[in-house]
């Protein structure tokens, strides 16, 4: 869990050595660093960022595989080894 002046509160989850999911612009975060996160667990609520405050509440989601951003839609329904 970290705070970025432009992107707001960020939660990064390391699923494996190769896969990391990133959630940005969160508000009221319910997890802390080193927590074990369970599938379906609520990480926080959607918030805003200084970068795009005119969007209203929103969350950015990014998926990194081997440090490369991929389209998250390509990962849905797959196991970590299939991504």
């Amino acid at each position: 869990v970290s705070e970025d002046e432009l992107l707001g509160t960020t939660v990064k989850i390391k699923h494996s050595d190769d896969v990391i999911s990133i959630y940005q612009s969160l508000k009221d975060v319910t997890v802390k660093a080193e927590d074990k996160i369970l599938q379906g667990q609520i990480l926080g609520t959607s918030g805003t960022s200084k970068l795009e405050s005119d969007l209203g509440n929103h969350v950015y989601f990014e998926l990194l595989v081997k440090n490369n951003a991929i389209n998250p839609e390509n990962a849905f329904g797959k196991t970590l080894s299939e991504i």
Side-chain angles (χ1 to χ4, degrees), residues 22-77:
I22 303 171
Y23 304 82
Q24 294 175 312
S25 299
L26 293 173
K27 172 179 147 181
D28 301 324
V29 174
T30 59
V31 297
K32 58 187 179 303
E34 305 303 322
D35 278 358
K36 181 175 175 148
I37 306 300
L38 303 174
Q39 183 176 352
Q41 181 176 344
I42 294 173
L43 306 176
T45 57
S46 62
T48 60
S49 63
K50 287 184 180 179
L51 188 62
E52 296 185 1
S53 60
D54 59 326
L55 291 178
N57 288 350
H58 61 280
V59 174
Y60 288 106
F61 175 68
E62 186 173 2
L63 189 59
L64 302 179
V65 177
K66 297 181 182 177
N67 289 321
N68 295 305
I70 68 161
N71 183 341
E73 289 182 347
N74 296 336
F76 287 118

Side-chain angles (χ1 to χ4, degrees), residues 12-28:
K12 292 182 182 180
I13 300 174
K14 183 177 179 180
H15 301 276
S16 70
D17 286 338
D18 293 334
V19 181
I20 298 172
S21 57
I22 303 171
Y23 304 82
Q24 294 175 312
S25 299
L26 293 173
K27 172 179 147 181
D28 301 324

